Amino acid sequence: MAHTTKEKAEAIAKVIDTLDILRRECPWDRKQTNESLRPNTIEEVYELCDALLGTDTREVKKELGDVLLHVLFYSKIGEENGEFDAADVAEALNAKLIFRHPHIFGDVNVADAHEVEQNWEQIKLKEKDGNKTILGGVPGSLPALIKAFRVQEKAANVGFDWTDASGAWDKMTEEAAEFKAEAEKMDKERMEAEMGDLLFSLVNVARLYGINPENALEHTNRKFIRRFNYIESEAKKAGRALKDMTLEEMDRYWNEAKKHE
């Protein structure tokens, strides 16, 4: 059952009240700072990302609650420092949403989601505290694969992009050949540089086909782990250690795992 806006606001207000009590009375909560909470926040966001790739909606709800707690916790610390509170955070977010959607709240016309993305980058450059450059909004600490996707996406939104996927395919083929040439020389420094170019070009191909490479790779990671765990489990049942098995034996279990999926 969907809740009303009032019910949603009241539920969040209860969390804020509870957090106020914890901040006053719980030794652990009382000693937390922005710096001490940061590692926990990173962990909670990754746990949410894990849940989002699954099918358990209860787990998603739980992890969303953990992330919401951190948002409210930082807001509480800001309030104690006389800087901002949860209301300021919400008001700033609402104002930003309205400003960045002139095709909904203004008189701008857009044909599709792609035009919305193109307008988005220009709008952010116009904001008072917005990005000073097109790529300035990409966090430096993002994992490299996600960062590659985001910088390409932002550049594409201002027209710096292939006209179609064929150009990206050609570039990827070119980068693969350049990496192979350096690999044959075993020049590790040049190999690393060319591998970076190859991976970047592969991200471009994925993006132009509407595939998020981070999600695609994570699905493959999970598939590999699932199949490898099967090999390990079957080896234990047979009283064998993986290190004592041949590649052919392990490959047979791998193919069995594929059939069970």
Side-chain angles (χ1 to χ4, degrees), residues 23 252-253:
R23 188 67 172 167
R252 187 172 65 251
Y253 284 134

Side-chain angles (χ1 to χ4, degrees), residues 36-106:
S36 68
L37 278 176
R38 182 177 177 273
N40 302 73
T41 305
I42 294 172
E43 182 178 346
E44 295 296 354
V45 172
Y46 274 110
E47 289 179 358
L48 172 59
C49 291
D50 281 344
L52 290 170
L53 287 177
T55 58
D56 189 340
T57 56
R58 292 174 300 177
E59 188 68 14
V60 173
K61 182 176 70 172
K62 180 179 79 69
E63 297 302 341
L64 281 170
D66 291 342
V67 172
L68 175 60
L69 171 60
H70 280 246
V71 172
L72 297 176
F73 211 138
Y74 290 118
S75 299
K76 177 62 180 175
I77 293 173
E79 179 182 351
E80 293 169 350
N81 293 336
E83 299 164 343
F84 60 85
D85 61 15
D88 294 316
V89 172
E91 287 292 344
L93 172 59
N94 189 56
K96 180 168 67 175
L97 287 173
I98 292 173
F99 182 75
R100 291 187 180 180
H101 291 80
H103 55 288
I104 302 297
F105 301 103

Side-chain angles (χ1 to χ4, degrees), residues 4-58:
T4 65
T5 300
K6 180 181 178 182
E7 289 171 332
K8 295 172 187 175
E10 289 174 347
I12 293 175
K14 288 179 183 178
V15 179
I16 293 174
D17 289 342
T18 300
L19 183 57
D20 286 345
I21 294 171
L22 293 174
R23 188 67 172 167
R24 290 194 307 269
E25 301 180 14
C26 174
W28 186 90
D29 290 279
R30 192 166 55 236
K31 74 174 186 178
Q32 298 309 310
T33 64
N34 285 341
E35 185 176 358
S36 68
L37 278 176
R38 182 177 177 273
N40 302 73
T41 305
I42 294 172
E43 182 178 346
E44 295 296 354
V45 172
Y46 274 110
E47 289 179 358
L48 172 59
C49 291
D50 281 344
L52 290 170
L53 287 177
T55 58
D56 189 340
T57 56
R58 292 174 300 177

Side-chain angles (χ1 to χ4, degrees), residues 60-227:
V60 173
K61 182 176 70 172
K62 180 179 79 69
E63 297 302 341
L64 281 170
D66 291 342
V67 172
L68 175 60
L69 171 60
H70 280 246
V71 172
L72 297 176
F73 211 138
Y74 290 118
S75 299
K76 177 62 180 175
I77 293 173
E79 179 182 351
E80 293 169 350
N81 293 336
E83 299 164 343
F84 60 85
D85 61 15
D88 294 316
V89 172
E91 287 292 344
L93 172 59
N94 189 56
K96 180 168 67 175
L97 287 173
I98 292 173
F99 182 75
R100 291 187 180 180
H101 291 80
H103 55 288
I104 302 297
F105 301 103
D107 55 5
V108 173
N109 295 316
V110 295
D112 52 31
H114 180 61
E115 284 193 13
V116 173
E117 291 180 357
Q118 289 181 319
N119 289 341
W120 190 270
E121 299 302 335
Q122 297 302 322
I123 290 170
K124 285 193 282 189
L125 289 173
K126 295 176 184 177
E127 288 178 339
K128 179 181 177 182
D129 298 316
N131 303 329
K132 300 299 184 287
T133 64
I134 296 296
L135 302 182
V138 180
S141 57
L142 273 181
L145 187 64
I146 301 176
K147 186 188 294 185
F149 183 79
R150 290 296 291 135
V151 298
Q152 291 175 11
E153 196 174 47
K154 284 178 172 289
N157 284 338
V158 293
F160 190 72
D161 199 10
W162 301 99
T163 54
D164 56 50
S166 64
W169 267 112
D170 292 341
K171 185 62 176 176
M172 187 182 70
T173 302
E174 174 190 325
E175 296 296 352
E178 291 179 1
F179 171 75
K180 184 178 180 181
E182 296 300 337
E184 289 173 350
K185 302 173 188 174
M186 287 305 294
D187 183 332
K188 290 297 181 68
E189 186 174 342
R190 291 300 307 157
M191 286 169 63
E192 180 178 313
E194 294 300 342
M195 176 55 75
D197 291 346
L198 175 57
L199 291 172
F200 194 84
S201 65
L202 183 57
V203 169
N204 238 335
V205 171
R207 179 181 60 81
L208 288 165
Y209 279 106
I211 297 170
N212 186 301
E214 171 67 22
N215 291 341
L217 182 57
E218 179 56 22
H219 282 302
T220 296
N221 285 339
R222 292 182 175 215
K223 179 170 61 180
F224 182 92
I225 291 169
R226 186 169 61 248
R227 293 176 181 176

Side-chain angles (χ1 to χ4, degrees), residues 228 231 242-243 245-255:
F228 191 84
I231 296 174
L242 288 181
K243 64 182 180 63
M245 295 177 66
T246 66
L247 180 58
E248 289 74 16
E249 289 175 313
M250 287 190 283
D251 196 48
R252 187 172 65 251
Y253 284 134
W254 178 272
N255 288 326

